[in-house]
Amino acid sequence: MKAILFANDGCGSCRKWKPTFEKLMKKYEIEYQVCDIYKDVELKKKYDVHGIPYTVFVNNSGEEIGSILGSMLEELADRDIRIYKDRDEKGSGLERS
């Protein structure tokens, strides 16, 4: 599993979320990258990003298995990341209705 954080340095919520995000990535040993929403336009389009901060979790095939929009309390983000790791380990993707 890999995580991609879409953000921008001028975004207050992004600056607030980034340390929590990085702490959780380290805790769960998840590879990640931080993309500037204005510079990484192709990746932004690929994952249909419309707001920031936006964190997308993808499996090894690049398919989305979960996401977090906005800044989130660490405890809630931790819960969601555990769910996404479980999806990744089971090989299931994100179900959309």
Side-chain angles (χ1 to χ4, degrees):
M1 182 168 83
K2 179 179 175 180
I4 306 166
L5 171 58
F6 292 92
N8 181 268
D9 291 338
C11 166
S13 294
C14 299
R15 290 191 307 271
K16 179 181 176 186
W17 169 239
K18 189 175 177 185
T20 302
F21 165 78
E22 290 177 332
K23 178 181 177 181
L24 291 167
M25 296 304 99
K26 185 175 180 179
K27 175 180 178 179
Y28 288 105
E29 299 178 345
I30 297 172
E31 178 185 340
Y32 71 91
Q33 72 184 87
V34 178
C35 296
D36 186 298
I37 194 80
Y38 301 111
K39 295 178 183 173
D40 299 301
V41 177
E42 291 304 314
L43 205 53
K44 172 187 163 184
K45 288 180 185 177
K46 179 178 179 178
Y47 292 106
D48 197 28
V49 178
H50 293 284
I52 55 175
Y54 182 73
T55 308
V56 62
F57 297 87
V58 297
N59 62 21
N60 290 334
S61 300
E63 298 171 304
E64 184 177 341
I65 55 176
S67 63
I68 297 172
L69 176 59
S71 182
M72 184 181 276
L73 290 172
E74 184 175 338
E75 295 79 16
L76 296 175
D78 189 275
R79 178 204 63 198
D80 286 357
I81 292 167
R82 282 185 276 124
I83 291 169
Y84 304 152
K85 281 189 68 73
D86 186 54
R87 283 183 191 163
D88 185 51
E89 290 166 4
K90 290 180 179 177
S92 60
L94 180 64
E95 295 180 21
R96 296 191 187 266
S97 46

